[in-house]
Amino acid sequence: MFRAIVLGAAAGGGFPQWNSAGPGCLRARAGDPAARPRTQTSLAVTADGERWVLLNAAPDLRAQIEATPALHPRPAGGAIRHSPIAAVVLTGAEVDTVAGLLTMRERQAFALYGAPQSLDVLAGNPIFLAVNPEIVPRRPLPLGTPLPLADAAGVPLGLELEAYAVPGKIPLFAEAGRDPGRADTGETIGLRLSTHGRSLHFIPGCAAMTPALAARLDGADALFLDGTLWRDDEMIRAGAGPKTGGRMGHMSIDGPEGVLATCRDLGIRRRILIHLNNTNPVLLADSPERAAVLAASWEVAEDGMEVAP
């Protein structure tokens, strides 16, 4: 049973964002059904319906677990401590991909996978020792090499994972005030999970669609792809910040180099936009931008959405 649940679909800050009075956030706070709230991006994936792998650990993780019955603890054999979460895989080391690990510090065993750069960030910050490495083994991901995922004890989870570098940048807190440029050396990675001949790609952060990445995605059964901004200068126009999407390491949905254009001819069965910034009009079900996305055969991720690749 290859199954994925969207735990959160928004970019950092969520939707509505705590300090935003933008029009979309105002509508979400007012309970407008066309502006459904979303927590920060994370996916839960399983091959058997019993043992789950989290793709990123968002700051909202505790609330996401409570909202997802499949991730609730199930006492057995008299033990009160239990979790069906068997592993966590990181696509980077930004705050909104790793902060949720601190929610998982109650001596619960699970495996933690990440690119060496991401694990180095955790190793360099002693607060993450709260997630005891003696209980939660940290396993570096080789890029471009498939491997079977396993729990903390080494028991296979029935999922094969391949991590690959995508255009991105170092975490914001590591920029030290400088423009980090764009890199594809592992600071940001995409994930391909597969089982029983079906495949799912998860790429919540991507600065550009390269020919190599397009070739990798062609033929996928399901794709969750970076949908942070509708247009590159969206945050500047909205007065929400001084940076373009490209500067933040995110390609846009619209435009000649955007998601819709660069993925148009790829053979992907199910296409889903995720990691949506609070300024993005695609979040609004009644917007022309949402209509354009749907017309191009894309879906917009929502918290609680379930996908069977």
Side-chain angles (χ1 to χ4, degrees):
M1 179 195 298
F2 193 10
R3 179 182 169 205
I5 301 176
V6 177
L7 303 182
F15 179 68
Q17 184 171 295
W18 69 279
N19 66 341
S20 174
C25 290
L26 292 177
R27 290 178 61 178
R29 285 196 189 92
D32 187 332
R36 292 186 61 179
R38 290 162 170 83
T39 59
Q40 294 166 90
T41 293
S42 180
L43 213 65
V45 182
T46 185
D48 59 15
E50 297 295 326
R51 301 169 301 167
W52 291 81
V53 177
L54 301 188
L55 308 184
N56 290 335
D60 306 306
L61 181 57
R62 182 188 175 280
Q64 292 171 343
I65 291 172
E66 290 304 307
T68 309
L71 301 184
H72 290 178
R74 296 184 292 274
I80 65 168
R81 299 286 193 187
H82 168 267
S83 175
I85 299 170
V88 177
V89 184
L90 304 175
T91 63
E94 292 281 6
V95 170
D96 50 338
T97 64
V98 303
L101 291 173
L102 298 177
T103 297
M104 306 175 76
R105 66 189 183 275
E106 279 82 17
R107 300 184 63 81
Q108 180 69 40
F110 61 93
L112 177 59
Y113 292 86
Q117 295 94 323
S118 297
L119 296 184
D120 286 348
V121 170
L122 301 184
N125 190 329
I127 195 172
F128 287 102
L129 290 175
V131 187
N132 190 339
E134 295 182 3
I135 299 170
V136 179
R138 300 180 182 184
R139 298 173 180 163
L141 287 173
L143 298 182
T145 302
L147 80 161
L149 287 175
D151 66 13
V155 178
L157 297 173
L159 289 166
E160 182 178 83
L161 172 70
E162 182 180 359
Y164 48 89
V166 299
K169 68 175 187 66
I170 61 175
L172 176 63
F173 57 79
E175 290 183 9
R178 60 184 171 85
D179 185 341
R182 199 178 84 190
D184 56 1
T185 56
E187 285 80 6
T188 304
I189 62 174
L191 305 174
R192 179 184 186 270
L193 291 100
S194 59
T195 186
H196 300 108
R198 312 296 285 181
S199 64
L200 175 153
H201 288 257
F202 179 66
I203 315 174
C206 185
M209 181 62 63
T210 65
L213 179 56
R216 184 184 289 276
L217 298 178
D218 199 14
D221 294 297
L223 166 64
F224 288 89
L225 183 59
D226 187 346
T228 306
L229 301 177
W230 172 255
R231 55 184 297 161
D232 190 55
D233 62 351
E234 179 178 305
M235 292 185 65
I236 297 172
R237 285 171 171 257
K243 296 178 182 177
T244 64
R247 170 62 180 80
M248 295 187 294
H250 298 287
M251 63 190 299
S252 301
I253 298 173
D254 195 28
E257 303 299 324
V259 170
L260 301 187
T262 58
C263 294
R264 180 181 298 119
D265 298 324
L266 300 183
I268 301 167
R269 186 172 64 85
R270 192 162 181 186
R271 307 159 181 241
I272 304 163
L273 295 166
I274 201 164
H275 197 267
L276 305 155
N277 193 62
N278 69 89
T279 58
N280 194 333
V282 165
L283 284 165
L284 305 175
D286 54 2
S287 69
E289 292 84 1
R290 172 72 74 90
V293 162
L294 298 180
S297 300
W298 283 84
E299 300 173 67
V300 177
E302 296 182 349
D303 291 21
M305 173 189 282
E306 296 199 24
V307 175

